[in-house]
Amino acid sequence: MNAEKETAIFAGGCFWCTEAVFQRLSGVETVVSGYIGGTIKNPAYREICTGRTGHAEAIKITFDPTIITYEELLEVFFATHDPTTLNRQGNDIGTQYRSEIFYTTEKQKELAENFMDFLKKEAIFPSPVVTAISEASVFYNAEEDHQNYYNENKTQSYCQYIIDPKIAKLKKFYSNKLKTA
């Protein structure tokens, strides 16, 4: 019997970073980098970089919930970016780098709200979590050269200094959730 696939959309800073993390999880079938939450149709990367379109760099994940749950995706999302910095991830600054969950169902909204409540109650982070939770709007795929970026550009300094540590953290804390070669 074929399980119904689900979609999750997360913005956690640079989509090259989030794409690389989620591509490695068992149960994740596809990860597409793109733009969501803005005011113009069919935005291009050069427009997104200005921070004036209102879009966030985000990823759209297709996953099998019988292998990895939405809650597990949320856990990895919060563990692999800084949800306490408003419109910023490291050196990437602007609204396009915000932390935001775009829910595709009411159940996802409820799960995201409950997870955020847990993070606050347990004081998981030293500063308040600023991640927004919004209903998914139109998701625009990023240009082809932004897809599968880390896997095709591992020797670039950005990948080595920014993304490699996220992958190392993922391997350290979530080795049981990783795809096998």
Side-chain angles (χ1 to χ4, degrees):
M1 183 169 149
N2 253 348
E4 198 66 31
K5 306 303 181 233
E6 292 186 27
T7 301
I9 302 173
F10 300 136
C14 171
F15 50 32
W16 297 342
C17 297
T18 51
E19 176 192 65
V21 165
F22 285 91
Q23 284 177 325
R24 284 154 176 73
L25 295 173
S26 183
V28 169
E29 297 190 355
T30 61
V31 182
V32 177
S33 290
Y35 318 112
I36 189 169
T39 57
I40 67 169
K41 292 181 179 180
N42 300 309
Y45 185 71
R46 69 183 180 283
E47 296 167 315
I48 301 299
C49 289
T50 68
R52 292 186 293 228
T53 70
H55 290 88
E57 285 193 15
I59 55 167
K60 181 169 64 172
I61 303 163
T62 303
F63 67 100
D64 181 340
T66 65
I67 299 172
I68 191 163
T69 66
Y70 187 73
E71 295 96 322
E72 290 171 313
L73 294 176
L74 286 169
E75 182 181 342
V76 171
F77 172 69
F78 282 104
T80 56
H81 85 291
D82 182 353
T84 68
T85 54
L86 187 62
N87 301 326
R88 178 182 191 151
Q89 287 298 305
N91 292 332
D92 293 330
I93 301 170
T95 58
Q96 68 271 32
Y97 301 115
R98 67 187 178 264
S99 177
E100 191 162 357
I101 297 165
F102 294 90
Y103 62 89
T104 61
T105 66
E106 286 301 312
K107 181 67 174 170
Q108 284 186 359
K109 177 184 180 185
E110 178 185 329
L111 292 169
E113 288 171 344
N114 290 343
F115 202 88
M116 295 266 294
D117 289 344
F118 165 78
L119 294 174
K120 182 179 180 180
K121 180 181 173 222
E122 297 298 320
I124 301 296
F125 295 97
S127 299
V129 172
V130 297
T131 304
I133 300 173
S134 303
E135 185 173 7
S137 55
V138 178
F139 182 92
Y140 298 98
N141 291 1
E143 297 80 353
E144 193 58 38
D145 57 328
H146 294 293
Q147 306 299 332
N148 202 35
Y149 189 85
Y150 174 77
N151 294 330
E152 295 180 10
N153 298 280
K154 288 181 181 179
T155 60
Q156 287 197 354
S157 60
Y158 184 89
C159 292
Q160 292 178 341
Y161 292 107
I162 305 297
I163 303 175
D164 280 350
K166 291 177 184 288
I167 299 299
K169 184 176 187 180
L170 182 72
K171 289 178 179 177
K172 180 178 180 182
F173 294 108
Y174 297 98
S175 61
N176 63 325
K177 296 187 186 323
L178 298 179
K179 292 177 180 174
T180 54

